[in-house]
Each structure stands twice: as C-alpha cells, then as structure tokens.
Amino acid sequence: MDEKYHLALKSAFASEFSFYLKSHNFHWNVEGPLFGQLHELFERIYTEVYGSIDTFAEHLRALQVYTPASLQKFSMLTTVDDENEVPPFEVMLHELLADSDKMAEIFRITFDMAEHHGDHGLSNFLADRQDAHKKHSWMLRASLK
Ligand SMILES: [Fe+2]
C-alpha cells in the first residue's frame, strides 16, 4: 500500500469528476452570441470526460482503492474548484481552459506514479486522459482567439 499514490489517484478522480460537472454546468448555462457553438463545445467535452469516469473508478477498485463517490468526498479531494455563479461565456472558456490544463498536468504526474508502481494498464489509461485534456485545451484555447 502506498498512501501517497492512492491519495493522488483519488484526488485525480475527484478532480476529473468536478471537471465533468463544470463542463456540463457551462453547457446548460452558457449565454451570448456564440450560444450554439459553445453549448455544443461544452457538450462534446463533458461527454468525452464522463465517458472516462467509470473506467477510471474501476481502475481504482482494481488497486483495492475505494472510489470516492459522494459530493462531500469529491469536494474534499478535488483540485478543480466549483463555479457557483453563471459567468460570462469568455470567463467560462478561460476557466475551463485553466482547469483542463490542470487536469493534463495531474495526469502527467499520476502517469509517472503509475509507471513507478508498475501499473501499466493504469498508466496507459492516465496517458490517454492527459491526451484527451490536451485536445480539450486546444479547442477551448482556439475558441478564445
Ligand atoms: Fe444538453
């Protein structure tokens, strides 16, 4: 048992769930002249991220780690802050971009930890998550030019 490793994975999982929720929040609440495009962009992002959540949870279980699975646990473990207001669309894009870059960095670090522990199936998954967030960041960044 490596507590630091397991805590990093649980925190990454809670952060990814928070990122999913925020992108769904923005899909629902975005307003402005680019409504249609941004409503779809945020949907594309939350759908991709949500599609990874179950696999991520089951990777944790395979390491005999219990998956955090309540809003309270998520708020204790996440590094992605909630958005409790409805900001202007430019702020939504900047905020989700910063969070996506943060997620890519979290997956870079947890990939190295998984490799160090010889968990190659998990490290493959984490590498794919890093890559997915780099693509989300690209689309968010491109929407801000
Ligand atoms: Fe929808």
Side-chain angles (χ1 to χ4, degrees):
M1 285 286 267
D2 183 331
E3 286 299 328
K4 191 170 166 237
Y5 173 45
H6 292 171
L7 184 60
L9 291 172
K10 286 194 283 189
S11 175
F13 179 78
S15 300
E16 187 74 315
F17 199 96
S18 301
F19 183 91
Y20 150 71
L21 182 59
K22 190 185 281 187
S23 53
H24 212 147
N25 170 355
F26 291 174
H27 166 75
W28 287 324
N29 291 315
V30 69
E31 290 177 321
L34 300 176
F35 170 79
Q37 286 172 49
L38 295 179
H39 184 65
E40 277 184 27
L41 174 64
F42 293 139
E43 177 169 5
R44 181 183 183 137
I45 292 172
Y46 83 69
T47 301
E48 191 286 326
V49 174
Y50 190 73
S52 75
I53 289 290
D54 186 60
T55 305
F56 198 170
E58 292 180 1
H59 271 295
L60 294 183
R61 294 301 299 130
L63 294 180
Q64 301 183 52
V65 173
Y66 287 116
T67 302
S70 69
L71 295 178
Q72 201 175 347
K73 284 269 186 189
F74 287 144
S75 72
M76 286 161 62
L77 290 162
T78 189
T79 61
V80 171
D81 293 333
D82 275 340
E83 179 52 81
N84 294 310
E85 306 301 322
V86 179
F89 73 88
E90 299 95 329
V91 175
M92 288 183 176
L93 285 167
H94 277 290
E95 192 176 324
L96 206 60
L97 171 58
D99 291 334
S100 184
D101 284 346
K102 181 189 268 185
M103 291 311 306
E105 176 63 8
I106 286 169
F107 287 123
R108 186 188 68 73
I109 293 165
T110 48
F111 170 90
D112 288 343
M113 294 173 108
E115 282 287 283
H116 175 76
H117 285 81
D119 293 328
H120 299 302
L122 175 59
S123 64
N124 270 347
F125 171 80
L126 297 168
D128 286 345
R129 295 315 305 146
Q130 181 189 13
D131 200 42
H133 276 286
K134 283 183 178 263
K135 285 190 183 139
H136 297 322
S137 291
W138 156 47
M139 291 185 192
L140 291 161
R141 195 174 286 112
S143 302
L144 280 162
K145 294 233 164 143

